[in-house]
Amino acid sequence: MGKKLKVGIIGAGRIGKVHTLSIMNYIPEVEIKAISDIYFDAAKEWAEQNGIPVATADYKEILNDPEIDAVLVCSSTDTHSQISVEAAKAGKHIFCEKPVDLTIPKVEAVIDAAKEAGVKLQIGFNRRFDHNFRKVRELIKDGTLGDIHILKITSRDPEPPSAQYAAASGGMFMDMTIHDFDMARFMMGSEPTEIYVASACLVDPAIGEAGDVDTAIITIRFENGGLCVIDNSRKAVYGYDQRVEAFGSKGKAEISNDTPSTAVWSTAEGVFGEKPKYFFLERYMDSFADEMKQFMAAIINDTETPVVGFDGLQPIKMGLAAKKSVLEGRPVKLSEIV
Amino acid sequence: MGKKLKVGIIGAGRIGKVHTLSIMNYIPEVEIKAISDIYFDAAKEWAEQNGIPVATADYKEILNDPEIDAVLVCSSTDTHSQISVEAAKAGKHIFCEKPVDLTIPKVEAVIDAAKEAGVKLQIGFNRRFDHNFRKVRELIKDGTLGDIHILKITSRDPEPPSAQYAAASGGMFMDMTIHDFDMARFMMGSEPTEIYVASACLVDPAIGEAGDVDTAIITIRFENGGLCVIDNSRKAVYGYDQRVEAFGSKGKAEISNDTPSTAVWSTAEGVFGEKPKYFFLERYMDSFADEMKQFMAAIINDTETPVVGFDGLQPIKMGLAAKKSVLEGRPVKLSEIV
Amino acid sequence: MGKKLKVGIIGAGRIGKVHTLSIMNYIPEVEIKAISDIYFDAAKEWAEQNGIPVATADYKEILNDPEIDAVLVCSSTDTHSQISVEAAKAGKHIFCEKPVDLTIPKVEAVIDAAKEAGVKLQIGFNRRFDHNFRKVRELIKDGTLGDIHILKITSRDPEPPSAQYAAASGGMFMDMTIHDFDMARFMMGSEPTEIYVASACLVDPAIGEAGDVDTAIITIRFENGGLCVIDNSRKAVYGYDQRVEAFGSKGKAEISNDTPSTAVWSTAEGVFGEKPKYFFLERYMDSFADEMKQFMAAIINDTETPVVGFDGLQPIKMGLAAKKSVLEGRPVKLSEIV
Amino acid sequence: MGKKLKVGIIGAGRIGKVHTLSIMNYIPEVEIKAISDIYFDAAKEWAEQNGIPVATADYKEILNDPEIDAVLVCSSTDTHSQISVEAAKAGKHIFCEKPVDLTIPKVEAVIDAAKEAGVKLQIGFNRRFDHNFRKVRELIKDGTLGDIHILKITSRDPEPPSAQYAAASGGMFMDMTIHDFDMARFMMGSEPTEIYVASACLVDPAIGEAGDVDTAIITIRFENGGLCVIDNSRKAVYGYDQRVEAFGSKGKAEISNDTPSTAVWSTAEGVFGEKPKYFFLERYMDSFADEMKQFMAAIINDTETPVVGFDGLQPIKMGLAAKKSVLEGRPVKLSEIV
């Protein structure tokens, strides 16, 4: 093994910490040189705990460090685009958390900047790397299921965010469904053409008052002729519900949720099993590590990243189409979103 | 036990035979006195095999028999309405197979005639009596699942009908989805207000040429605020796929398909299980018996039938709304269907 | 169809009634001409309810009826052997409930009598006809699992019998495990050579005081080299637990219990499913019909019955070996049982 | 956090490497200072790859290092006892891989030495820390299942070892079943009193020629009155089969195997699922980390280790009883093993 790849992490919040640990535990070829956070103490404390040499309040310090090969943009969503553009200009490879931005031009700016600078760009759609979803994708890719006619995605959170957060995040479609939009494209291997949403506010009236919805059934048509339906809820009392069913001309594939154990117990009262793993950190921890491994491998081997800039753009368009469908009460073509 | 209830069966096709056997095997309080079929030989042969005293080519003979208390209308769909109206006028209780008719006025005529004559009317939506669906309905009714936010119905046939049949039957929505429309109302315990359909012809181009579709995702809004999605395919190569998932404020319930056995076997090649029971006769045989038992009980005890005339009307309206949605590419309110 | 086969049922208790209904509902080729019971009123009432022409207190009346082709011996266990021998001498085909008798000579007498008279003899081991067990047997027979190395049978009742009954019935091994001994031979397709039992009285001390056990692990060696283990309990609080696992050189097969529905529901409290069908009447009803169909078919087609006299003898020997193993605290060879 | 705990690893084979990674990835409070292996190159290469300061061919160098607080004895089985005794004398806390030794006196010597030196001793029965087994143990401990009447352990390897290895390892009972003996005690929370084994050589004749067996059904009586049965095979063609079922006065609990994904797919050919995770490294990786965490926590907090010396002794006695049972063809009391 030659010189280690050096990376900087921008943002010491929850996801920045997850990526820190993935790299330290599983990717010996990579060294975290620096971490930044606008709350300097957060960066400093995390750096000390994990032996990261540099902590700073200013991400530009990371961009200006000539030793650093790649950056992970884990800051707040509204800063993703600008930092990523600057990182590209600084010649750093970029792993950018989702969503890249809530507007199309800013996402496109990142894609263009990365292209111009010739740096790798990977978007943080970690669920593509999940063992369950990946298996279904393989069964589609290898032809086991034939042409996909109907794709069903269930995506329900265990708890709604605060109404305040819900509104600020761009709403349910941009904050939560965006993962499902990506999953739909990933599974279908085709591009969406039309979206219709039936949504409601059934979980928390405060979310409705803040102008958002918390429950939705989203129908999507794809270029390949296939149909997709996503059902979302901000609150599944039994826990995080993350499933997909792909139905095609040659068969179907389904996944069930991961559980803390496979135990089933039976008493005079009934038969009992485990609830799903609680939330995304429990359920998707391995997928965070795998996306990181593949990002680093793409840099080391100079190959394409597994989730490119266009994969960051399309879900934004789908989210905008979904919002328009709710507003106008009709199916909306993706071509209307510009 | 006093005098046995006497019934006549109009139509000696597949479903007439199913009801014959249910009555003979499970309902000792009831005697089948007569069976009719426009193909007299069919009626005669079946009557002889099963010890039914009277076989006739003319259903009027059954309606005119003063000994007969109730009739089962199992003839071809286009004759359901007229025969049922005549049966009501003849003072017979009526079990009418679904769909009552493909047009609203003719269904209403049956409802009105039964009301005027003071006879019982039950519509043949047998799936309400299925052990799996019934259990989910119980979990909804007893409050275990709370308010239902999302209802998902999967309904896929193992084989498409001929394109010719598909067209003549009124199309997929009237022939196949009609059961799912009934199931949606049964589960929700509420009335539909709006329907949107994304459909396609992906299974057999001949079905498309005949003017029908074979694949659909149908979104339905209900008065109680709940959302429902039905996914339909005319061809699931692995067999008859009949499931429901109800998701509410307090939990969810799901059913899986019935299988010929519970065996699971594992070899060096993989892990294997049984495909679903092949088609509706295998899957729903018990439910046919149960709907018949409850129809007879409603007569004997003079109580309301479990599936009334209005339950025959609403799915027709939903089918017409679905067709309109496909035609106009937009969500259609049930109030538009008159 | 020619002349109907005529049968007489000896014993109008629970199992006699089950067979009555199976024949009436599913076997049109057969007519029940007579039923007997030492409690005449029981026979009479059942005969009237089901249109059986003859009811009698004396089974000999049935044996002497020249019109009757076959008898079902459903009387109390201690009379099985004598009645069956007389039935053979009267030239009647015999379906004899299990156990034929608790002693070897009396079982052999039945086998010999049937052979001499040239009549069919079938023993009532209905579980061989159960959809789940049958599927595992098919996977063994068709070679999917290779040579069977380990066979595991779980057989637990939902409720213990009274201690009085437990003792009078010949004890757990003769009354309950006897079905499992038959299942072991059926699955293995080989004969047992040695049995070791570790048993205990853990459910009800009164059973122990009556000289019986209520919990056991039974290890059986087979001629083909395979090993089998049966675990028994007189009381599984969650219901009737009836499973088998066959493990061989090419794979394994397992079955799970049948349940009233396939529903699974999830709430904040946990994930819930249905308990097994309660007891043998619910679980094995179809198998009772199937054993009856095959018995009648063997007569009509003059073929061998699917469960012959030797199949009635071997489980008795296994039961005696099991009792000896408990008494002497050591493995007992079948060859010791004479 | 104060000074880090310093440990040395004796043995750089597979299990030594597993523990290295567990400590490095999950236990920041611990530093691996040295690793030894009689094949020096193996120790050296692994030390370099993982930044371990010291590599040596001589484990005594580790024992003599005053900075080292604890050692992991991961050398070949025949050296476990001697090294552990020396480690105790050197004042090191000891994590000793299973089996401690194949003879009782040598295991007792380790227990005595650790006691005398006042050092912690933990035996490497990692399965106690597995998420599935642990859940069943919790259901027993918290009383959900009542008194345990029947405990069933299934333990089958995907591939037999070479006959040469099988013989050298002390045979199947000492090498493979030893984990199941420990599991039986762990689940039961009671001590074994008697063991009976029915075993055979069905997988590979060479194993039989080497004097060992490859298939077994093992019945164990426990002090608390409960019965246990273990079934073992050296070769399950579908993969590593590791399950337990606990049946008690108030209910039962079962676990199924872990799989690479939860996907189930259905085609015209059938219904398919994933095979179990291949072997113990895939299945038990998390449990290796958890046993290590708890060993280190016991040292840091000066509490008892979760698997003490006596837990290393009892399975050896059970293995010797099992061997004696095979040899003498009878149940053997544990009190016979001295």
Side-chain angles (χ1 to χ4, degrees):
Chain A
M1 218 164 39
K3 206 165 100 345
K4 284 195 176 189
L5 202 68
K6 284 200 172 63
V7 304
I9 299 176
I10 296 170
R14 189 166 51 183
I15 195 67
K17 288 176 176 174
V18 166
H19 293 319
T20 303
L21 294 176
S22 292
I23 293 171
M24 293 183 64
N25 290 344
Y26 300 114
I27 319 182
E29 304 88 341
V30 175
E31 182 190 327
I32 304 172
K33 170 139 188 226
I35 186 160
S36 75
D37 200 288
I38 51 171
Y39 302 101
F40 174 64
D41 286 351
K44 182 161 173 263
E45 186 185 8
W46 188 245
E48 279 174 4
Q49 271 175 40
N50 292 280
I52 300 171
V54 178
T56 172
D58 184 5
Y59 70 87
K60 286 179 203 279
E61 198 175 326
I62 290 176
L63 299 188
N64 291 334
D65 183 337
E67 272 198 352
I68 285 178
D69 301 293
V71 295
L72 314 187
V73 181
C74 306
S75 50
S76 65
T77 295
D78 58 318
T79 66
H80 286 175
S81 167
Q82 189 190 329
I83 295 177
S84 294
V85 169
E86 291 179 33
K89 287 182 179 159
K92 310 302 185 201
H93 300 296
I94 304 159
F95 179 93
C96 182
E97 272 305 323
K98 58 102 264 191
V100 179
D101 192 81
L102 301 181
T103 66
I104 295 172
K106 289 199 170 176
V107 183
E108 289 176 337
V110 173
I111 295 171
D112 292 346
K115 196 175 174 187
E116 208 167 307
V119 296
K120 308 284 179 198
L121 172 62
Q122 182 171 326
I123 313 303
F125 285 120
N126 61 291
R127 293 184 196 173
R128 292 186 177 210
F129 302 87
D130 175 71
H131 55 145
N132 290 341
F133 290 111
R134 203 172 51 207
K135 179 70 188 177
V136 176
R137 177 58 189 151
E138 282 164 15
L139 290 163
I140 293 172
K141 270 185 84 171
D142 70 15
T144 302
L145 307 182
D147 298 330
I148 298 307
H149 293 176
I150 297 173
L151 177 70
K152 295 169 70 176
I153 297 172
T154 292
S155 178
R156 301 168 191 157
D157 279 0
E159 301 261 14
S162 67
Q164 191 182 7
Y165 171 89
S169 69
M172 187 174 79
F173 302 122
M174 286 304 192
D175 171 54
M176 176 179 162
T177 320
I178 197 160
H179 272 294
D180 308 315
F181 288 141
D182 180 63
M183 187 53 65
R185 291 179 63 245
F186 175 61
M187 285 289 168
M188 275 295 196
S190 178
E191 293 304 328
T193 59
E194 191 179 80
I195 290 185
Y196 172 73
V197 179
S199 63
C201 183
L202 302 172
V203 169
D204 181 358
I207 290 175
E209 284 156 24
D212 200 7
V213 297
D214 53 33
T215 305
I217 291 174
I218 303 162
T219 307
I220 311 173
R221 287 181 176 280
F222 276 82
E223 278 176 6
N224 66 4
L227 304 174
C228 168
V229 61
I230 297 167
D231 74 273
N232 282 151
S233 170
R234 283 286 200 182
K235 183 171 186 179
V237 294
Y238 51 86
Y240 197 40
D241 199 346
Q242 296 278 303
R243 289 172 290 147
V244 69
E245 175 180 338
F247 170 81
S249 56
K250 293 188 178 169
K252 72 167 171 176
E254 299 160 273
I255 55 171
S256 46
N257 288 306
D258 284 353
T259 50
S261 84
T262 64
V264 172
W265 56 106
S266 306
T267 73
E269 279 69 44
V271 176
F272 307 87
E274 296 257 23
K275 291 194 284 184
K277 288 185 175 179
Y278 181 65
F279 209 171
F280 69 96
L281 286 180
E282 291 83 3
R283 164 69 186 265
Y284 289 123
M285 194 49 84
D286 289 349
S287 73
F288 288 121
D290 282 340
E291 69 174 356
M292 208 40 60
K293 285 180 199 168
Q294 294 205 24
F295 173 62
M296 301 306 178
I299 298 173
I300 291 170
N301 306 323
D302 193 14
T303 54
E304 194 171 50
T305 62
V307 193
V308 298
F310 185 66
D311 296 320
L313 180 62
Q314 285 292 78
I316 299 301
K317 288 193 174 175
M318 295 169 82
L320 293 171
K323 285 179 149 185
K324 194 178 182 73
S325 177
V326 170
L327 211 65
E328 304 185 5
R330 64 170 182 93
V332 170
K333 294 208 184 308
L334 264 286
S335 57
E336 299 179 48
I337 307 304
V338 285
Chain B
M1 216 165 39
K3 205 165 100 348
K4 283 196 175 189
L5 201 68
K6 286 199 169 65
V7 305
I9 298 176
I10 296 170
R14 189 166 51 182
I15 195 67
K17 289 176 175 172
V18 166
H19 293 319
T20 302
L21 295 175
S22 292
I23 293 170
M24 293 184 63
N25 290 344
Y26 301 113
I27 319 183
E29 305 87 341
V30 174
E31 184 191 324
I32 304 172
K33 169 135 188 230
I35 188 161
S36 76
D37 201 289
I38 51 173
Y39 301 103
F40 175 64
D41 287 352
K44 182 157 174 266
E45 187 185 7
W46 187 246
E48 279 173 5
Q49 272 175 39
N50 292 281
I52 300 171
V54 178
T56 172
D58 184 4
Y59 70 87
K60 286 178 204 278
E61 199 175 322
I62 289 176
L63 299 187
N64 292 333
D65 184 336
E67 272 198 351
I68 285 177
D69 302 295
V71 296
L72 315 186
V73 181
C74 306
S75 51
S76 67
T77 295
D78 58 319
T79 68
H80 285 175
S81 167
Q82 189 190 330
I83 294 177
S84 294
V85 168
E86 291 178 32
K89 287 181 178 159
K92 311 302 186 200
H93 300 297
I94 304 159
F95 179 94
C96 181
E97 271 305 323
K98 59 102 264 187
V100 180
D101 191 82
L102 302 181
T103 66
I104 295 172
K106 289 200 171 177
V107 183
E108 289 176 337
V110 173
I111 294 172
D112 293 346
K115 197 175 173 185
E116 208 168 307
V119 297
K120 309 283 179 199
L121 172 62
Q122 183 170 327
I123 313 304
F125 284 120
N126 62 291
R127 291 184 197 174
R128 292 185 177 210
F129 303 87
D130 175 70
H131 54 146
N132 290 342
F133 290 112
R134 203 173 49 207
K135 178 71 187 177
V136 176
R137 176 58 190 151
E138 282 164 16
L139 290 163
I140 293 172
K141 270 185 85 172
D142 71 14
T144 303
L145 307 182
D147 299 328
I148 300 306
H149 293 176
I150 297 174
L151 178 70
K152 295 170 71 176
I153 296 173
T154 293
S155 177
R156 302 170 190 155
D157 279 358
E159 300 262 13
S162 68
Q164 192 182 6
Y165 172 89
S169 70
M172 187 174 78
F173 302 123
M174 286 302 191
D175 173 54
M176 176 178 162
T177 319
I178 196 160
H179 273 295
D180 309 315
F181 289 141
D182 179 62
M183 186 54 63
R185 290 180 61 246
F186 175 62
M187 286 289 168
M188 275 294 194
S190 177
E191 294 304 328
T193 58
E194 191 180 82
I195 291 185
Y196 173 74
V197 180
S199 63
C201 184
L202 301 173
V203 170
D204 181 0
I207 289 175
E209 284 156 24
D212 200 8
V213 297
D214 53 33
T215 304
I217 289 173
I218 303 163
T219 306
I220 310 173
R221 286 180 177 279
F222 276 82
E223 278 176 5
N224 65 4
L227 304 175
C228 169
V229 61
I230 298 167
D231 74 273
N232 283 151
S233 171
R234 283 286 200 181
K235 183 171 186 178
V237 295
Y238 52 85
Y240 198 40
D241 200 347
Q242 297 277 303
R243 290 171 288 147
V244 68
E245 175 180 338
F247 169 81
S249 56
K250 292 188 178 167
K252 72 166 171 176
E254 300 160 273
I255 55 172
S256 47
N257 288 306
D258 283 353
T259 50
S261 84
T262 63
V264 172
W265 56 105
S266 306
T267 72
E269 278 71 43
V271 176
F272 307 87
E274 296 257 23
K275 290 194 286 184
K277 288 186 175 179
Y278 181 65
F279 210 171
F280 70 97
L281 287 182
E282 291 84 2
R283 164 67 186 265
Y284 288 123
M285 194 49 84
D286 290 348
S287 73
F288 287 121
D290 282 341
E291 70 173 355
M292 206 42 58
K293 284 179 200 167
Q294 295 205 25
F295 173 62
M296 300 306 178
I299 297 173
I300 291 169
N301 305 322
D302 193 14
T303 54
E304 195 172 51
T305 61
V307 194
V308 298
F310 185 66
D311 296 321
L313 180 63
Q314 286 291 79
I316 299 301
K317 287 193 176 176
M318 294 168 83
L320 293 171
K323 284 178 148 186
K324 195 177 181 72
S325 176
V326 171
L327 211 65
E328 305 184 5
R330 63 173 181 92
V332 170
K333 294 206 184 306
L334 264 286
S335 57
E336 299 179 47
I337 306 303
V338 285
Chain C
M1 218 165 38
K3 204 164 100 347
K4 284 196 174 187
L5 201 67
K6 285 199 171 64
V7 305
I9 299 176
I10 296 170
R14 190 166 52 183
I15 195 68
K17 289 177 175 171
V18 165
H19 292 320
T20 303
L21 295 175
S22 291
I23 294 171
M24 293 184 63
N25 290 344
Y26 301 113
I27 319 183
E29 304 87 343
V30 174
E31 183 190 324
I32 303 171
K33 169 132 188 234
I35 187 160
S36 76
D37 201 289
I38 51 171
Y39 302 101
F40 175 64
D41 288 351
K44 184 158 172 266
E45 187 186 8
W46 187 246
E48 278 173 5
Q49 272 175 38
N50 291 281
I52 299 171
V54 178
T56 172
D58 184 4
Y59 70 87
K60 286 178 203 280
E61 199 175 323
I62 289 176
L63 299 187
N64 292 333
D65 184 337
E67 273 198 351
I68 285 177
D69 302 294
V71 296
L72 315 186
V73 182
C74 306
S75 50
S76 66
T77 295
D78 58 318
T79 67
H80 286 174
S81 168
Q82 189 190 329
I83 294 177
S84 294
V85 169
E86 291 179 33
K89 288 182 179 158
K92 310 302 186 200
H93 300 297
I94 304 159
F95 178 93
C96 181
E97 271 305 323
K98 57 104 261 190
V100 179
D101 192 82
L102 300 182
T103 67
I104 295 172
K106 289 199 170 177
V107 182
E108 288 176 338
V110 173
I111 295 171
D112 292 346
K115 197 175 174 186
E116 209 168 306
V119 297
K120 308 285 180 199
L121 172 62
Q122 182 170 326
I123 313 303
F125 285 119
N126 61 291
R127 292 185 195 172
R128 291 186 177 209
F129 303 87
D130 175 71
H131 55 146
N132 290 343
F133 291 111
R134 204 172 49 207
K135 178 70 188 179
V136 176
R137 176 59 189 150
E138 283 164 15
L139 290 163
I140 294 172
K141 271 184 84 171
D142 70 14
T144 303
L145 307 183
D147 299 329
I148 299 306
H149 294 175
I150 297 174
L151 177 70
K152 295 169 71 177
I153 297 174
T154 293
S155 177
R156 302 169 189 156
D157 279 0
E159 302 261 13
S162 67
Q164 191 183 8
Y165 171 90
S169 69
M172 188 174 78
F173 302 123
M174 285 302 190
D175 173 55
M176 176 177 160
T177 320
I178 196 161
H179 273 294
D180 308 316
F181 289 141
D182 179 63
M183 186 53 64
R185 289 180 62 247
F186 175 62
M187 286 289 167
M188 275 294 194
S190 178
E191 294 303 329
T193 60
E194 191 180 82
I195 291 185
Y196 173 74
V197 179
S199 63
C201 184
L202 302 172
V203 170
D204 181 0
I207 289 175
E209 285 156 23
D212 200 8
V213 298
D214 53 33
T215 305
I217 289 173
I218 303 162
T219 306
I220 310 173
R221 287 181 176 278
F222 276 83
E223 278 177 6
N224 65 4
L227 304 174
C228 169
V229 61
I230 297 168
D231 73 274
N232 283 151
S233 172
R234 283 285 199 181
K235 184 171 185 178
V237 294
Y238 51 84
Y240 198 40
D241 199 348
Q242 296 278 303
R243 290 172 288 146
V244 69
E245 175 179 338
F247 170 80
S249 58
K250 291 189 178 167
K252 70 167 172 175
E254 299 160 274
I255 55 172
S256 46
N257 288 305
D258 284 351
T259 50
S261 84
T262 64
V264 173
W265 55 106
S266 307
T267 72
E269 278 70 44
V271 175
F272 307 88
E274 296 256 21
K275 289 194 287 185
K277 288 186 175 179
Y278 181 65
F279 210 171
F280 69 96
L281 287 180
E282 291 82 3
R283 164 66 186 266
Y284 287 123
M285 194 49 85
D286 289 349
S287 73
F288 288 119
D290 282 341
E291 71 173 354
M292 208 40 59
K293 285 180 198 167
Q294 295 205 24
F295 174 61
M296 301 306 177
I299 297 173
I300 291 169
N301 306 322
D302 193 14
T303 54
E304 194 171 52
T305 61
V307 193
V308 299
F310 185 65
D311 296 321
L313 180 63
Q314 286 293 79
I316 299 300
K317 288 193 176 176
M318 295 168 83
L320 293 170
K323 284 178 150 187
K324 195 177 180 73
S325 177
V326 171
L327 211 64
E328 305 184 4
R330 64 171 180 93
V332 171
K333 294 209 183 305
L334 265 287
S335 57
E336 299 179 48
I337 307 302
V338 285
Chain D
M1 218 166 38
K3 207 165 100 345
K4 283 195 176 188
L5 201 68
K6 285 200 171 63
V7 305
I9 298 176
I10 296 169
R14 190 166 51 182
I15 195 67
K17 289 177 174 171
V18 165
H19 293 319
T20 303
L21 295 176
S22 292
I23 294 170
M24 294 184 63
N25 290 343
Y26 300 113
I27 318 182
E29 304 87 342
V30 175
E31 182 190 326
I32 303 171
K33 170 140 189 226
I35 187 160
S36 76
D37 201 287
I38 51 171
Y39 301 101
F40 175 64
D41 287 351
K44 182 159 175 263
E45 187 185 6
W46 187 246
E48 278 174 3
Q49 271 175 41
N50 292 279
I52 299 170
V54 178
T56 171
D58 183 5
Y59 71 87
K60 287 178 203 277
E61 197 175 326
I62 289 176
L63 299 187
N64 292 333
D65 184 337
E67 271 198 351
I68 286 177
D69 302 294
V71 295
L72 315 185
V73 182
C74 307
S75 51
S76 65
T77 295
D78 58 319
T79 67
H80 285 174
S81 167
Q82 188 190 331
I83 294 177
S84 294
V85 169
E86 291 179 32
K89 288 181 178 158
K92 311 302 185 198
H93 300 297
I94 304 159
F95 179 94
C96 181
E97 271 307 322
K98 56 103 268 191
V100 179
D101 192 81
L102 301 181
T103 66
I104 295 172
K106 288 199 171 178
V107 182
E108 289 176 336
V110 173
I111 295 172
D112 293 346
K115 196 173 173 188
E116 208 167 307
V119 298
K120 309 283 178 198
L121 171 63
Q122 182 169 326
I123 312 304
F125 286 119
N126 61 291
R127 291 183 198 175
R128 293 187 177 209
F129 303 87
D130 175 70
H131 55 145
N132 290 341
F133 290 112
R134 203 172 50 206
K135 178 71 189 179
V136 176
R137 177 59 190 150
E138 283 165 14
L139 290 163
I140 294 173
K141 270 184 85 173
D142 70 14
T144 303
L145 307 182
D147 297 330
I148 298 307
H149 294 176
I150 297 174
L151 177 71
K152 295 169 70 177
I153 297 173
T154 293
S155 176
R156 302 170 189 155
D157 278 1
E159 302 260 14
S162 67
Q164 190 182 8
Y165 172 89
S169 70
M172 188 174 77
F173 303 121
M174 286 302 191
D175 172 55
M176 177 179 161
T177 320
I178 197 161
H179 273 294
D180 309 315
F181 288 141
D182 179 63
M183 186 54 64
R185 290 180 64 246
F186 174 61
M187 285 289 168
M188 275 295 194
S190 178
E191 293 304 327
T193 58
E194 191 180 83
I195 291 186
Y196 172 74
V197 179
S199 63
C201 184
L202 302 172
V203 170
D204 182 359
I207 290 174
E209 285 156 24
D212 199 9
V213 297
D214 53 32
T215 305
I217 290 174
I218 303 162
T219 306
I220 311 173
R221 287 181 176 279
F222 276 82
E223 279 177 5
N224 65 5
L227 304 175
C228 168
V229 61
I230 297 167
D231 74 273
N232 283 150
S233 171
R234 282 286 200 182
K235 183 171 184 179
V237 294
Y238 51 85
Y240 198 40
D241 199 347
Q242 295 279 302
R243 289 171 290 146
V244 70
E245 174 180 338
F247 169 81
S249 57
K250 292 189 179 168
K252 71 167 172 176
E254 299 160 274
I255 55 171
S256 48
N257 288 306
D258 284 352
T259 50
S261 84
T262 64
V264 172
W265 56 106
S266 306
T267 73
E269 280 69 43
V271 176
F272 307 87
E274 296 257 23
K275 290 195 285 186
K277 288 185 174 179
Y278 180 66
F279 211 172
F280 70 97
L281 287 181
E282 291 84 3
R283 164 69 185 266
Y284 288 123
M285 195 49 86
D286 289 349
S287 73
F288 287 120
D290 282 341
E291 69 173 356
M292 208 40 60
K293 285 179 199 167
Q294 294 205 25
F295 174 61
M296 301 305 178
I299 298 173
I300 291 169
N301 306 321
D302 193 14
T303 55
E304 194 172 51
T305 61
V307 194
V308 299
F310 184 65
D311 297 320
L313 179 63
Q314 285 292 78
I316 299 301
K317 289 193 175 176
M318 295 168 83
L320 293 170
K323 284 178 149 186
K324 194 177 182 73
S325 176
V326 170
L327 211 63
E328 305 184 5
R330 63 171 181 95
V332 171
K333 294 207 184 309
L334 265 286
S335 56
E336 299 179 48
I337 306 303
V338 284

